Amino acid sequence: MKNFKGIVYAALSSSTFGLAPLFSILLLSDGFSSFEVLSYRWGVASLTLGIIGLAGCRFCISRQELCTVFFLSLFRAATSLSLVIAYQNISSGVASIIHFMYPLAVALAMALFFSERISCQTAAAIGVSLAGVA
């Protein structure tokens, strides 16, 4: 049951994340700036997390984990901002393909440069991502 809930949450997360370009482009076409688009996106995410927290989910982390999360969130913010700016300058399809292919690039770089073994699951994921792009 725990695995099933995780799969459902992952599917929900990926589907809503995949719709982000649609809503970003709509807001950009209405004259919103990149920062306004991201403020709305992160505002909705913050409200959602707040509701989940009020429902009883605990988000406690240590100080060391807080530092890690903070610095990783800066990279995530830079990625989001770069993607929204890319939507303003190149076709949304090209920008999204470049953005969503980075897990493939990471998996291949880990295999090539760090001798990490590619598992059957990783190879399947690489195949699915390439099929999705094609």
Side-chain angles (χ1 to χ4, degrees):
M1 183 63 178
K2 189 174 182 180
N3 284 341
F4 179 74
K5 280 177 60 175
I7 290 169
V8 169
Y9 288 141
L12 179 65
S13 171
S14 65
S15 63
T16 57
F17 189 72
L19 290 174
L22 171 67
F23 295 113
S24 297
I25 292 168
L26 287 174
L27 290 174
L28 290 170
S29 67
D30 282 345
F32 286 73
S33 73
S34 300
F35 290 106
E36 290 170 327
V37 170
L38 293 178
S39 294
Y40 282 114
R41 181 189 300 176
W42 293 331
V44 170
S46 297
L47 280 172
T48 304
L49 282 175
I51 291 168
I52 291 169
L54 290 173
C57 185
R58 295 179 48 91
F59 298 116
C60 297
I61 57 175
S62 68
R63 286 186 190 267
Q64 182 180 6
E65 290 170 330
L66 179 62
C67 288
T68 302
V69 169
F70 174 77
F71 286 113
L72 289 175
S73 68
L74 293 178
F75 290 117
R76 178 67 189 134
T79 301
S80 295
L81 181 60
S82 299
L83 182 61
V84 172
I85 292 171
Y87 290 150
Q88 294 172 317
N89 293 297
I90 62 176
S91 129
S92 62
V94 172
S96 294
I97 286 173
I98 293 169
H99 176 71
F100 291 115
M101 290 301 289
Y102 80 84
L104 169 68
V106 169
L108 293 175
M110 293 298 291
L112 292 173
F113 299 115
F114 299 103
S115 301
E116 184 173 305
R117 189 177 154 271
I118 294 180
S119 67
C120 291
Q121 289 175 335
T122 303
I126 288 171
V128 169
S129 67
L130 290 175
V133 169

